[in-house]
Amino acid sequence: MARLICENVGKTYQEFELKNISLTVESGYLTGLLGLNGAGKSTLLRILAGVDPLFTGTVTVDGTDVSAQPAEAKQKIGFVSEERQFFWEMDALENGELLGQLYPDFDQVQFRGWLQGMGIPINQPLYQFSKGMKMKFQLGFVLSYHPQFLLLDEPTSGLDPIFRRDFLKILRDVMDLGMGILMTTHLMSDLDRIADVIVVLDHGEQKLNEHSDVLENGAGAEIEALLTGKFRIRDLLEKYGETV
Ligand SMILES: Nc1ncnc2c1ncn2[C@@H]1O[C@H](COP(=O)(O)OP(=O)(O)OP(=O)(O)O)[C@@H](O)[C@H]1O
């Protein structure tokens, strides 16, 4: 079984510090990364994806060190984020043809299949896409080079409710194929249905890293030391302000 392992990862900005984050994402499972705005979720994801090389600690993807072998590690990771850059003046297929060359395993036929399956126009410039369309396009792009792990930054934001449901179904299907997923979201209801493990970040600190069934069934004493109050997912929902 492949693992993405993050050990004691830290990073300091002038006004913010990400402190000693340790977590493991296993193939076939989904880890949900939850936290308020500014908690450090995107900062952590960029580090794990190999996009930000300036950090302390270690990140390995199926045994490949992200710092020592960044190019190799990137082949194993599908990073989906609003921050990613594409050729916005070009259409989806042109982007696939150009950027797909960076990934030896990129399959143009599958890419076209994902786009068509998700209802993404293949001949329209990307700058004309809505937020949700851009997210679908990105998901189709990364799935087409068969990464071992998906790192998804707020993937459901901007998606309509029907596609959000379809999107979560796609994630379940790719997990069945053995991909491991780390996903940030503000919508705890997404995690409630699909996450195996929940990690909570608060002001750059890791407050919780637990299997979601433990959260559902009530937490042990060591978790109580981490977060005050109750730990059921519904309670976390309230703590983090989402209306269910
Ligand atoms: N390039 C940067 N330079 C300085 N500070 C930064 C930089 N990028 C992020 N930060 C700061 O790091 C902190 C964490 O930001 P980050 O984007 O990781 O949070 P987040 O949990 O993803 O938030 P959101 O849910 O709003 O996306 C914030 O205080 C932010 O201002």
Side-chain angles (χ1 to χ4, degrees), residues 54-137:
L54 301 176
F55 65 94
T56 54
T58 53
V59 178
T60 55
V61 190
D62 187 29
T64 305
D65 189 303
V66 168
S67 302
Q69 299 159 281
E72 208 175 301
K74 278 182 189 166
Q75 302 293 329
K76 299 182 178 184
I77 292 169
F79 179 44
V80 171
S81 160
E82 253 187 77
E83 295 172 15
R84 281 200 67 166
Q85 290 305 309
F86 290 90
F87 295 108
W88 303 111
E89 300 287 330
M90 295 185 186
D91 67 31
L93 285 187
E94 288 166 335
N95 270 275
E97 275 162 26
L98 284 171
L99 295 172
Q101 292 175 29
L102 299 172
Y103 302 90
D105 287 341
F106 193 87
D107 185 327
Q108 299 289 349
V109 176
Q110 272 189 19
F111 179 50
R112 186 185 278 255
W114 278 116
L115 295 176
Q116 286 173 338
M118 292 192 284
I120 296 297
I122 53 178
N123 296 124
Q124 193 177 333
L126 297 192
Y127 75 85
Q128 293 178 359
F129 282 12
S130 68
K131 211 169 154 188
M133 287 161 76
K134 283 180 189 150
M135 211 40 102
K136 293 183 204 176
F137 157 77

Side-chain angles (χ1 to χ4, degrees), residues 30 32-34 183 185 187-195 198:
L30 189 146
L33 187 57
L34 174 71
M183 157 173 154
T185 178
L187 289 169
M188 261 305 293
S189 49
D190 288 348
L191 299 185
D192 203 8
R193 274 181 251 127
I194 198 171
I198 307 266

Side-chain angles (χ1 to χ4, degrees), residues 8 45 59 71 122 125 129 142 190 200 210 238:
N8 298 321
L45 239 59
V59 178
I122 53 178
F129 282 12
V142 300
D190 288 348
V200 175
E210 263 313 330
E238 281 168 22

Side-chain angles (χ1 to χ4, degrees), residues 3-11 18 20-25 43-74 76-77 149 151 182:
R3 288 194 173 90
L4 187 159
I5 301 172
C6 159
E7 287 176 300
N8 298 321
V9 163
K11 180 173 181 77
L18 190 67
N20 277 337
I21 310 297
S22 295
L23 58 87
T24 300
V25 184
T43 301
L44 178 61
L45 239 59
R46 277 198 299 272
I47 291 169
L48 301 183
V51 174
D52 180 356
L54 301 176
F55 65 94
T56 54
T58 53
V59 178
T60 55
V61 190
D62 187 29
T64 305
D65 189 303
V66 168
S67 302
Q69 299 159 281
E72 208 175 301
K74 278 182 189 166
K76 299 182 178 184
I77 292 169
F149 293 93
L151 301 179
L182 179 64

Side-chain angles (χ1 to χ4, degrees), residues 11 13-18 35-44 46 83 153-154 184 186 201:
K11 180 173 181 77
Y13 288 124
Q14 221 165 11
E15 312 258 335
F16 175 81
E17 192 183 350
L18 190 67
L36 297 176
N37 288 337
K41 305 181 296 295
S42 300
T43 301
L44 178 61
R46 277 198 299 272
E83 295 172 15
D153 199 359
E154 298 277 349
T184 71
H186 285 116
L201 286 189

